[in-house]
């Protein structure tokens, strides 16, 4: 598939989108001024503008969005920057998009999942349960499947499953049953028709937690835009595309997104499963990245009120020893002469004996112990690293000491 490098004439566009958790994302990306960064959900370019401000002329920003209106607005918002490429595409196909741009690895990727405030405000797009508008909900207006197709053509069981799984709606079967009854008499064409059916399907006493149609609309939107099924694989692809010391930041808004991203990060981080008494690793565990924050970053109270009370930022990064990724998994460890001694470093560091390590190129890593804390020096360039403890597990990992 060929991806469209998007170009439009400069014009004023009203695409309002206040970037959520902006500072947390910029900090999480740890921006290299000369690096290549991808905003896989460009939107109105709120996050991207702050990334672009921090890039030098050597740096590059690639903005991807499936919504052509978003791309037009982003180009207007970023018109002062000359090192930005705009791509009409889906972030689920980020690997293929970068291949077409002849880019192998990048320094950072940002994904802001879900629907934008602009899309919700544009009532004719059908994302909002307020007002009377055509049932559409397509982020990419060039695709064929719409919310109207889902509501009128899916059978009752499939509808119920989608509303339950993607909307976590307890009354999914009632809603699906009533949708099928209604459409047997008349095609459901507008959002207010669907809202009325949903309201009649949920007991009044249970309609206290926000708008009764909120969960069902979310479920249908997710189905139309295939937001959840590819998400785990997309996160794994993004991790594979990171350069050494690269960062991936993903903003999630509900538990389904949380689960997919969390599982992808945990699986990418990997874990040595060898018994702790073995002198070296035999399980062949490989790590692709290290989860930077033990828990996802939660939005401030103000942002929770304005956006969503469940918004989170998940950050995963790559760290380097002599050009090789190593900090993505924790080191197994044992106690020798009252000192903590690493017996395996996942990746390309190999244990020579109790106190000596070497990297793939044979450069010795000098290990110094003080107060049960190991400091590692790579003999090739005397770069300093520290063996740090992960409090939650008691195991260890290597982290580059940037101040040395």
């Amino acid at each position: 598939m060929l991806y469209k490098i998007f170009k439009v004439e400069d014009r004023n566009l009203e695409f309002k989108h206040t970037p959520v958790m902006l500072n947390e994302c910029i900090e999480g990306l740890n921006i290299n001024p000369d690096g290549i960064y991808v905003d896989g959900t460009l939107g109105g370019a709120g996050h991207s503008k702050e990334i672009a401000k921090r890039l030098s002329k050597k740096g590059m920003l690639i903005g991807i969005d499936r919504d052509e209106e978003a791309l037009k607005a982003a180009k207007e918002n970023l018109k002062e920057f000359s090192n930005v490429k705009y791509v009409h595409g889906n972030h689920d196909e980020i690997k293929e998009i970068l291949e077409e741009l002849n880019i192998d690895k990048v320094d950072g990727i940002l994904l802001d999942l879900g629907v934008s405030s602009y899309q919700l405000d544009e009532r004719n797009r059908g994302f909002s349960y307020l007002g009377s508008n055509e049932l559409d909900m397509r982020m990419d207006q060039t695709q064929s499947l719409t919310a109207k197709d889902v509501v009128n053509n899916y059978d009752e069981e499939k509808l119920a499953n989608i509303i339950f799984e993607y909307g976590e709606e307890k009354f999914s079967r009632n809603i699906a049953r009533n949708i099928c009854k209604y459409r047997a008499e008349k095609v459901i064409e507008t959002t207010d028709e669907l809202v009325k059916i949903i309201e009649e399907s949920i007991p009044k006493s249970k309609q206290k937690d926000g708008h009764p149609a909120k969960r069902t609309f979310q479920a249908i939107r997710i189905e139309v835009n295939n937001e959840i099924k590819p998400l785990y694989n997309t996160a794994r692809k993004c991790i594979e595309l990171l350069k050494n010391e690269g960062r991936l930041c993903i903003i999630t808004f509900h538990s389904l997104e949380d689960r997919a991203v969390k599982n992808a990060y945990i699986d990418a981080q990997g874990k040595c499963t060898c018994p702790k008494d073995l002198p070296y690793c035999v399980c062949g565990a490989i790590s692709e990245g290290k989860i930077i924050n033990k828990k996802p970053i939660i939005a401030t109270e103000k942002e929770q009120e304005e956006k969503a009370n469940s918004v989170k930022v998940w950050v995963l990064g790559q760290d380097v020893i002599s050009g090789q990724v190593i900090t993505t998994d924790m080191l197994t460890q044992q106690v020798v002469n009252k000192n903590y001694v690493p017996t395996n470093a996942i990746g390309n560091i190999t244990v020579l004996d109790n106190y000596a390590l070497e990297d793939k190129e044979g450069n010795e890593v000098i290990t110094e112990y003080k107060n049960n804390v190991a400091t590692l020096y790579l003999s090739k360039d005397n770069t300093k690293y520290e063996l740090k403890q992960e409090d939650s597990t008691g195991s260890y990992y290597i982290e580059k000491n940037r101040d040395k």
Side-chain angles (χ1 to χ4, degrees):
M1 177 180 178
L2 293 176
Y3 296 92
K4 182 179 178 183
I5 306 302
F6 206 84
K7 296 181 179 180
V8 296
E9 296 298 322
D10 290 343
R11 63 190 182 94
N12 293 324
L13 291 156
E14 196 68 20
F15 193 109
K16 294 180 180 178
H17 177 58
T18 304
V20 66
M21 300 189 76
L22 178 60
N23 293 332
E24 292 85 350
C25 291
I26 296 301
E27 182 179 344
L29 286 172
N30 192 28
I31 296 170
N32 169 14
D34 297 335
I36 301 174
Y37 289 84
V38 179
D39 186 340
T41 48
L42 185 60
H47 291 99
S48 276
K49 191 164 190 176
E50 293 305 313
I51 296 172
K53 287 178 182 178
R54 290 162 173 79
L55 294 179
S56 70
K57 292 181 179 179
K58 294 180 181 178
M60 180 189 296
L61 173 63
I62 300 164
I64 303 170
D65 207 291
R66 63 177 87 179
D67 189 333
E68 291 185 326
E69 287 301 311
L71 287 165
K72 293 173 185 177
K75 190 170 191 295
E76 175 67 19
N77 196 18
L78 299 174
K79 62 184 179 182
E80 65 189 278
F81 304 101
S82 59
N83 53 351
V84 184
K85 291 184 181 294
Y86 304 89
V87 181
H88 179 225
N90 191 328
H91 59 260
D92 294 328
E93 296 164 337
I94 187 170
K95 185 175 181 180
E96 294 80 4
I97 290 171
L98 291 180
E99 283 176 355
E100 289 206 6
L101 294 172
N102 295 315
I103 295 172
D104 182 38
K105 300 278 187 179
V106 298
D107 296 272
I109 300 171
L110 172 67
L111 299 180
D112 182 0
L113 304 178
V115 64
S116 73
S117 53
Y118 165 81
Q119 289 165 333
L120 288 172
D121 291 341
E122 280 292 297
R123 300 290 172 82
N124 62 344
R125 300 288 292 272
F127 288 105
S128 176
Y129 38 75
L130 303 176
S132 177
N133 300 285
E134 185 179 351
L135 279 169
D136 191 329
M137 299 194 194
R138 291 174 298 170
M139 292 181 182
D140 182 354
Q141 293 287 291
T142 66
Q143 77 173 45
S144 58
L145 183 67
T146 68
K148 184 178 177 181
D149 297 326
V150 171
V151 170
N152 287 285
N153 298 328
Y154 281 23
D155 62 42
E156 182 178 330
E157 183 178 3
K158 189 173 182 179
L159 269 176
N161 289 340
I162 286 169
I163 296 169
F164 180 75
E165 291 175 16
Y166 292 162
E168 299 178 299
E169 172 58 72
K170 296 177 181 178
F171 298 95
S172 60
R173 301 210 172 276
N174 285 352
I175 294 168
R177 187 182 308 114
N178 287 334
I179 285 174
C180 292
K181 285 181 180 178
Y182 190 100
R183 75 188 189 191
E185 302 294 329
K186 176 189 178 299
V187 173
I188 303 170
E189 299 187 65
T190 61
T191 54
D192 60 331
E193 286 180 277
L194 181 58
V195 167
K196 184 179 179 182
I197 295 168
I198 296 167
E199 288 176 335
E200 292 175 353
S201 303
I202 302 175
K204 293 290 183 183
S205 61
K206 303 296 182 181
Q207 296 185 21
K208 297 177 181 179
D209 183 21
H211 196 286
K214 177 176 65 176
R215 293 187 179 89
T216 300
F217 269 63
Q218 172 184 294
I220 295 171
R221 187 203 80 218
I222 288 173
E223 172 66 14
V224 169
N225 297 288
N226 195 23
E227 296 176 37
I228 297 299
K229 288 179 182 177
L231 183 53
Y232 171 90
N233 289 331
T234 297
R236 293 300 299 269
K237 282 182 189 178
C238 289
I239 294 165
E240 292 171 7
L241 292 167
L242 293 178
K243 292 180 181 179
N244 290 334
E245 297 189 308
R247 292 288 180 90
L248 169 62
C249 291
I250 302 181
I251 306 172
T252 61
F253 290 84
H254 54 76
S255 61
L256 297 174
E257 294 172 344
D258 294 345
R259 194 175 305 124
V261 173
K262 180 181 179 180
N263 289 340
Y265 277 23
I266 290 173
D267 290 347
Q269 180 168 264
K271 187 173 183 179
C272 177
T273 57
C274 297
K276 290 187 177 181
D277 57 352
L278 283 181
Y280 53 87
C281 175
V282 295
C283 73
I286 298 174
S287 295
E288 301 170 22
K290 178 181 183 299
I291 300 173
I292 302 301
N293 303 92
K294 295 177 184 178
K295 294 182 179 180
I297 306 167
I298 309 297
T300 63
E301 289 185 13
K302 183 179 179 182
E303 283 187 312
Q304 289 180 24
E305 292 173 1
E306 293 177 352
K307 297 288 182 180
N309 57 15
S310 57
V311 62
K312 302 178 181 71
V313 172
W314 305 75
V315 184
L316 181 138
Q318 299 270 18
D319 284 327
V320 179
I321 288 185
S322 187
Q324 303 297 331
V325 176
I326 183 112
T327 59
T328 54
D329 195 278
M330 296 167 193
L331 303 173
T332 59
Q333 52 85 28
Q334 64 181 8
V335 177
V336 176
N337 297 329
K338 297 183 180 180
N339 289 315
Y340 289 102
V341 178
T343 59
N344 172 60
I346 306 303
N348 294 301
I349 302 294
T350 307
V351 175
L352 296 180
D353 54 42
N354 281 344
Y355 292 91
L357 305 172
E358 70 174 16
D359 68 7
K360 188 176 181 181
E361 298 174 353
N363 301 304
E364 184 180 358
V365 179
I366 302 167
T367 311
E368 175 185 289
Y369 293 96
K370 290 182 181 179
N371 300 321
N372 287 346
V373 176
T375 301
L376 309 179
Y377 296 88
L378 186 60
S379 59
K380 184 176 181 180
D381 57 8
N382 204 33
T383 303
K384 186 175 180 179
Y385 303 86
E386 291 183 1
L387 188 66
K388 294 193 173 182
Q389 186 172 20
E390 170 61 56
D391 294 337
S392 62
T393 64
S395 55
Y396 288 77
Y397 62 94
I398 292 176
E399 180 171 279
K400 185 174 180 180
N401 189 329
R402 298 177 183 272
D403 297 326
K404 300 296 180 182

